[in-house]
Amino acid sequence: MIFSDPASVAVVGASDDPAKWGHWLARGALAGLDRRAVHLVNRSGGSVLSHPTVRSLSELPEAPELVVLAVPAAVVPAVVDEALAVGVRGFVGITSGIDEGVIGRIREAGARLLGPNCLGVFDAATSLHLAWGQFQPGSLGVVSQSGQVGLEIAGLAAASGIGVSRFVSVGNQADVTATEALLELVSHDMTAVVGVYLESFGPGTIAAMSSLRAAGKPVVLLTVGSSAAAQEAALSHTGALTSSSDVVDAACRRAGAVRVSTPAALVDLAAVVKSGIPRGRRAGIISDSGGQGAIAADLAVAAGLSVPGLSSGRNPIDLAGAGEQDMANYTRAVSALVHGGEVDTIVLSGYFGSYGADTPSLESAEVSVAASICALARETGVLVTVHSMCADSAAVRALRAGGVPVQHTIERAVAALGDAARFGALSRPLVGPASGPELSVLPGRIESGDPFGGDPCASLPYQPGYLAARELLSFVRFPEAHAVTSLADVEATTLRGPYALKADWLAHKSEHGGVKINLADPAAAFEEMESRLGPGTYVLEEMDTREHAVELIIGAKRDHSFGPVILVGAGGIHAELFKDTAIELAPVTPATARDMLARLMTAPLLSGRRGAPPVDVAALAQVIAQISETLVARPDLAEIELNPVRVGPDGVLAVDALIIPSGDTLNDTSGRRVA
């Protein structure tokens, strides 16, 4: 409770100067004077904001539970040492530049530090205001790695009528982490929805988001880095195809959270889902203008919603002046949709909210209709959002107070509903989380060993090369093949043509001429390849000549923040060109693997096109799941890639495989691995 409801606080650096941090912090602290003891520390003494001060913490009769550091960095070591000496247990480090030695002394004493370089903390439920700025109490919990972004979110939340229940700026996270701040919100009664801004992800962050979702508190994530095209120094197609934003989205799906791109989108979505999550994507649209209704319908479809026809008439519903004749028609239209059972969300777009602002005599009637709309939304659980041409009016305020979000632009109103529908799509049961730096605190992860019930390959040390990859991935079907090191080996083969010839050691065989396919006589191809690439182990393999086979890539790699991830997509040598992929955190179940396949643009090929038979999707999903489990169980492996995987009506056949051990780099041109 140190950072949520301390029994006493002290602001060190309190000031009467409104331009200084110490002024804002002192003023905020004094606002909670009826709940806790508040001490102001100023080395010059006197009073601040008409409240007496002391010159140092040692002058206080007892140790404050929480101390706010709002003094220059050079003074912080002495203040911290004095605070620890008198028994202080918690610090809010507003000051930046606090050195590691000071932070270490706080840890050694068993005390806690929020920050440093943070904006502070606010809790509406406990009248705790130790932060810069103003906060309107409400239902949005905010945890932000950037104080300024967090303050922007809080300001937008005030303007939207949702307000802030708790605000935590974690700053440099030298001690208290974003994960801990999120976990505190699980049992925070005033918080109904959580907004998070993070620039990096620490251990357990996604687990904390999952706990919030389980507690009925939707999490909206804002992060950065989506402009990065791919992970650094990609050694495989999988690495090149795995963007940072794709992995974050996969982590959000695991946690049941939704990622947005701007602070405004975060607040807009939070305002919608604080009252509930839509049951589906069917949107009913009501407008008092045909043009505005049509625009809303187009935007709804673009946002991933559907605008179904209604048994009672058209959708969008155009009131065409009926609202002006009798404002109760707005209530009647909303009532018909919420009780009709044909829509999950409703957009009311147009002039409503402007009547009272433009014609004061209509204000009372408009506010009454607004209250009726709010009551209908609460009673039925159908999410209603309003686009009003008026930015602020008594009716707009009444709608927001009653739990119905209002936006001044139709695009923001509809985009928030589309994002809200994404929450509904995250309702499937979650599989056991991935091991690794991110999800290690969640129960059920594979700690070590074998995910397949004792397969010895799960504990064998990996030796580089295609043949070794085939041996390790013994649960995958590969074509018949032989290792060949001489022309005599090739000529003595008992394999059936046509053949493929591969340089065993090359990771990217096509780029370096290390693979030849559709060979009737492999001897000449072997002589040419060996003369160019040098002696070594080559693989002579039977070609897969099955008709109606679809080529895919299955890849698993370790993300530096989230641990193992699994990817499936359009495969072959053009995999990076098409970039048709689906990504999830590993491990995944076969059911989740099938969901991944269904998200691909090439998914129709799997069910049969233009007379082709459907392929064996069940077997393919099983292989995807097993690859994901293998990487989770093998911390000595950095990546596993099967490309291409040819799947046909009679099953799955992988015709190339690459495994990259942890810490390895590849040199394709020499054929050597360098640790």
Side-chain angles (χ1 to χ4, degrees):
M1 300 289 285
I2 293 177
F3 297 106
S4 58
D5 192 17
S8 58
V9 300
V11 178
V12 182
S15 172
D16 259 330
D17 184 352
K20 292 186 176 181
W21 272 89
H23 178 84
W24 284 86
L25 293 164
R27 188 171 71 175
L30 291 171
L33 195 57
D34 60 339
R35 189 178 180 96
R36 62 183 58 86
V38 176
H39 308 288
L40 303 184
V41 181
N42 183 293
R43 63 183 179 180
S44 299
S47 65
V48 169
L49 294 168
S50 302
H51 190 84
T53 70
V54 295
R55 289 180 172 85
S56 69
L57 292 169
S58 59
E59 294 181 18
L60 296 175
E62 59 184 7
E65 192 170 357
L66 183 63
V67 166
V68 185
L69 302 172
V71 293
V75 182
V76 168
V79 173
V80 168
D81 288 344
E82 181 186 33
L84 294 174
V86 301
V88 171
R89 310 306 298 165
F91 297 87
V92 177
I94 304 296
T95 307
S96 62
I98 298 177
D99 65 46
E100 282 295 326
V102 173
I103 295 169
R105 292 201 292 277
I106 291 173
R107 292 195 191 110
E108 290 168 5
R112 301 303 308 272
L113 169 67
L114 177 64
N117 190 29
C118 76
L119 202 71
V121 61
F122 165 83
D123 195 308
T126 63
S127 301
L128 182 69
H129 188 164
L130 301 176
W132 183 283
Q134 301 289 343
F135 298 87
Q136 176 179 306
S139 56
L140 175 63
V142 178
V143 175
S144 181
Q145 198 167 345
S146 163
Q148 191 83 346
V149 172
L151 196 61
E152 181 183 4
I153 291 169
L156 290 167
S160 73
I162 183 176
V164 171
S165 57
R166 182 163 166 76
F167 169 91
V168 183
S169 167
V170 295
N172 293 351
Q173 302 183 81
D175 181 31
V176 175
T177 65
T179 296
E180 292 177 274
L182 289 169
L183 287 172
E184 281 205 358
L185 292 175
V186 172
S187 58
H188 193 255
D189 292 339
M190 197 169 174
T191 298
V193 60
V194 178
V196 191
Y197 172 76
L198 291 178
E199 296 164 1
S200 59
F201 296 83
T205 305
I206 299 302
M209 292 183 185
S210 182
S211 296
L212 284 162
R213 178 64 189 271
K217 301 182 180 187
V219 179
V220 186
L221 172 67
L222 175 63
T223 187
V224 292
S226 61
S227 59
Q231 299 292 350
E232 66 279 1
L235 301 178
S236 65
H237 294 294
T238 301
L241 290 168
T242 310
S243 73
S244 57
S245 60
D246 287 338
V247 177
V248 171
D249 286 341
C252 284
R253 285 190 293 273
R254 175 62 59 87
V258 166
R259 180 175 69 90
V260 295
S261 301
T262 66
L266 185 154
V267 172
D268 292 349
L269 177 53
V272 171
V273 299
K274 71 182 180 66
S275 301
I277 292 172
R279 295 176 290 231
R281 296 182 175 274
R282 302 171 301 171
I285 297 172
I286 304 169
S287 74
D288 41 30
S289 160
Q292 287 176 310
I295 291 170
D298 283 349
L299 289 172
V301 173
L305 301 169
S306 66
V307 184
L310 304 174
S311 59
S312 58
R314 299 180 61 184
N315 186 18
I317 297 171
D318 182 6
L319 295 179
E324 297 176 12
Q325 298 172 19
D326 181 0
M327 270 191 284
N329 283 325
Y330 288 104
T331 304
R332 296 185 185 102
V334 172
S335 179
L337 284 185
V338 297
H339 290 114
E342 295 180 281
V343 299
D344 307 299
T345 62
I346 295 173
V347 181
L348 173 58
S349 174
Y351 192 72
F352 187 78
S354 301
Y355 289 101
D358 292 345
T359 309
S361 62
L362 298 177
E363 182 177 282
S364 177
E366 189 177 38
V367 169
S368 178
V369 170
S372 298
I373 291 172
C374 293
L376 286 167
R378 286 194 301 271
E379 291 166 7
T380 62
V382 176
L383 289 182
V384 179
T385 189
V386 174
H387 156 233
S388 176
M389 293 167 59
C390 186
D392 182 51
S393 68
V396 167
R397 293 190 293 274
L399 287 165
R400 287 173 171 164
V404 171
V406 183
Q407 298 295 344
H408 189 43
T409 66
I410 185 61
E411 58 268 31
R412 286 180 62 177
V414 174
L417 278 183
D419 285 337
R422 290 162 57 197
F423 273 111
L426 299 173
S427 60
R428 68 172 183 264
L430 303 177
V431 300
S435 63
E438 170 51 38
L439 293 176
S440 57
V441 302
L442 276 178
R445 74 179 176 92
I446 299 172
E447 295 290 346
S448 61
D450 170 30
F452 310 125
D455 185 342
C457 76
S459 58
L460 291 175
Y462 174 70
Q463 300 298 321
Y466 171 49
L467 289 171
R470 287 170 53 117
E471 182 178 355
L472 187 144
L473 304 175
S474 58
F475 54 87
V476 179
R477 180 182 164 208
F478 288 90
E480 292 294 324
H482 291 157
V484 294
T485 58
S486 67
L487 182 59
D489 290 339
V490 175
E491 292 174 339
T493 184
T494 59
L495 299 175
R496 295 178 298 176
Y499 306 95
L501 180 66
K502 305 173 182 179
D504 178 65
W505 65 88
L506 289 180
H508 302 130
K509 298 176 178 60
S510 299
E511 288 86 336
H512 301 287
V515 58
K516 299 290 184 183
I517 61 175
N518 290 317
L519 301 173
D521 180 6
F526 176 84
E527 289 183 302
E528 185 279 330
M529 193 178 293
E530 186 185 44
S531 67
R532 182 165 40 82
L533 298 178
T537 299
Y538 293 82
V539 181
L540 187 63
E541 191 171 67
E542 292 182 356
M543 287 285 297
D544 179 25
T545 58
R546 294 175 300 160
E547 293 184 343
H548 309 302
V550 179
E551 290 195 346
L552 298 168
I553 179 174
I554 302 172
K557 70 184 292 288
R558 295 187 187 279
D559 181 80
H560 67 281
S561 293
F562 299 106
V565 298
I566 183 75
L567 170 147
V568 64
I573 62 174
H574 300 304
E576 291 177 45
L577 175 64
F578 296 133
K579 294 185 178 179
D580 177 21
T581 61
I583 297 172
E584 295 291 346
L585 298 194
V588 297
T589 64
T592 299
R594 293 186 76 137
D595 288 344
M596 295 171 70
L597 292 167
R599 300 206 306 263
L600 299 177
M601 290 185 293
T602 50
L605 297 177
L606 303 177
S607 56
R609 293 279 290 176
R610 304 179 71 88
V615 304
D616 191 346
V617 173
L620 178 60
Q622 183 66 30
V623 171
I624 295 168
Q626 289 179 296
I627 292 293
S628 75
E629 291 171 339
T630 299
L631 191 70
V632 169
R634 293 293 300 261
D636 58 316
L637 303 181
E639 293 189 42
I640 302 172
E641 180 176 286
L642 302 177
N643 183 39
V645 173
R646 290 174 55 82
V647 56
D650 58 346
V652 178
L653 193 71
V655 296
D656 202 3
L658 168 67
I659 294 181
I660 301 175
S662 297
D664 267 22
T665 58
L666 302 179
N667 185 329
D668 270 341
T669 55
S670 70
R672 298 179 183 274
R673 288 179 180 266
V674 183

